[in-house]
Amino acid sequence: MEKGFLLLNKASRAEVAEFIRTQQHKNGAFTDRAGSPDLYYSLFGCWLSKGLKLNEQLTKLSQHISTFQHDEKKVIDKFSWLLILLSLEEEKFQKPSFFELLRWLSKSGKNVNTAYRFFLFVLSFDALFGKNSVVYFFVRIFLKFYKLPEDLPCSFSAALLMAKFLTGKNVKHEAENLLHYFEKGEGFKVFPEQPNADLLSTAVALFTLKTIGQDLRVLAPDCLDLVQGNYENGAFLSGDGDSSRDLEYTFYGLLTLGALSKNEH
């Protein structure tokens, strides 16, 4: 993501930094589109602030998160809380075990997006356990028996590919499947039949493919056009027609540029 930021010109970099600052609530959290403090958006604010070295914003967020009590029923918030603490390199908190992470993942609810939940699980797992071979053994077993939802969105397919790659499995089939979400002249789509590409799908797909060593040169021109066409006054738009500016898609925009940073020429 940092490499993506550095691809912007000086004026755009200043605009992005200022946009991030304006999205921080007075209590130290970052805000959602309605301007309310939100743990999920605070995760993106944290990643962006860390990548751009906005230390004042990180200090305020750290002070807020140190006293924050998350709702145990809100799974996305729990993963966000954990990833924020890990990103801030906080040590004085009880880290969840692998099996506790699995319980978070298995919890369901009407307001819980399965793709988000799984992707956050993969990020949390990697941050907590790294190359722990014993834990990876259990993950392989879990992935073998995990019942996948039908009609997987692009982000879920990317998360599944990443999880299998991290555990040492052959991911050739999963990589080929992920490429089915790409349309020439557009970018990556939530579902192949969608009319428009979007930055979430494109960023996550490119990041994952780059991680496994996929050559992105064929994908780069269209994905670069998508991200450049959705920059507006210090933020990135979703790319699917939504004109709202927020931290989440600003992160995805910079992540896309970062994934393409060695392929833009």
Side-chain angles (χ1 to χ4, degrees):
M1 190 270 292
E2 297 93 326
K3 291 181 180 179
F5 178 69
L6 294 175
L7 287 181
L8 301 174
N9 60 43
K10 185 176 180 179
S12 296
R13 291 200 298 269
E15 289 177 346
V16 171
E18 181 58 25
F19 174 71
I20 295 168
R21 294 187 186 99
T22 65
Q23 298 302 295
Q24 189 164 36
H25 192 269
K26 61 183 180 181
N27 71 2
F30 286 90
T31 59
D32 59 18
R33 292 182 175 188
S36 302
D38 184 274
L39 202 58
Y40 179 66
Y41 282 88
S42 291
L43 174 59
F44 292 102
C46 177
W47 283 339
L48 287 164
S49 297
K50 190 170 183 178
L52 275 60
K53 297 179 174 57
L54 301 179
N55 294 327
E56 182 180 346
Q57 276 57 54
L58 290 172
T59 299
K60 292 178 181 178
L61 177 61
S62 181
Q63 292 170 348
H64 169 74
I65 207 72
S66 65
T67 59
F68 183 83
Q69 297 295 320
H70 60 79
D71 187 338
E72 289 293 324
K73 296 180 181 179
K74 295 183 178 180
V75 178
I76 297 296
D77 277 3
K78 289 172 73 172
F79 277 119
S80 299
W81 168 82
L82 173 62
L83 286 166
I84 289 171
L85 287 172
L86 291 171
S87 295
L88 293 173
E89 299 178 357
E90 297 286 350
E91 294 295 333
K92 296 180 180 180
F93 75 100
Q94 186 173 353
K95 298 179 176 65
S97 67
F98 167 66
F99 294 104
E100 189 173 357
L101 276 187
L102 283 183
R103 284 196 294 273
W104 293 5
L105 177 63
S106 63
K107 287 183 178 180
S108 60
K110 293 181 179 179
N111 297 321
V112 178
N113 183 298
T114 304
Y116 278 155
R117 191 170 73 236
F118 191 76
F119 198 77
L120 291 175
F121 165 79
V122 172
L123 291 176
S124 300
F125 167 78
D126 187 48
L128 282 171
F129 304 110
K131 297 295 182 181
N132 187 313
S133 59
V134 175
V135 176
Y136 273 43
F137 172 75
F138 287 108
V139 173
R140 290 191 196 100
I141 295 175
F142 173 76
L143 290 172
K144 184 176 181 179
F145 294 101
Y146 183 64
K147 186 177 180 180
L148 295 173
E150 296 182 0
D151 299 323
L152 295 179
C154 180
S155 56
F156 197 115
S157 294
L160 184 63
L161 191 165
M162 182 69 81
K164 291 186 175 182
F165 175 75
L166 290 174
T167 57
K169 298 189 72 173
N170 186 303
V171 292
K172 181 179 179 181
H173 172 73
E174 286 78 7
E176 291 174 350
N177 179 63
L178 186 57
L179 289 171
H180 290 158
Y181 293 87
F182 177 79
E183 181 176 326
K184 188 171 178 57
E186 291 283 342
F188 285 86
K189 302 179 177 183
V190 178
F191 297 103
E193 66 272 14
Q194 291 284 111
N196 300 310
D198 67 278
L199 277 185
L200 189 163
S201 300
T202 299
V204 171
L206 289 177
F207 174 77
T208 302
L209 291 169
K210 186 171 186 176
T211 300
I212 68 170
Q214 184 84 21
D215 189 341
L216 303 181
R217 285 177 294 180
V218 174
L219 309 173
D222 293 325
C223 295
L224 189 59
D225 286 345
L226 175 68
V227 71
Q228 288 179 328
N230 283 283
Y231 177 78
E232 184 176 303
N233 298 324
F236 288 91
L237 310 181
S238 65
D240 59 3
D242 189 339
S243 60
S244 301
R245 300 190 308 152
D246 67 24
L247 290 170
E248 180 181 9
Y249 282 98
T250 298
F251 174 82
Y252 293 139
L254 294 179
L255 185 62
T256 299
L257 288 174
L260 298 173
S261 61
K262 292 183 179 180
N263 301 284
E264 76 271 15
H265 299 304

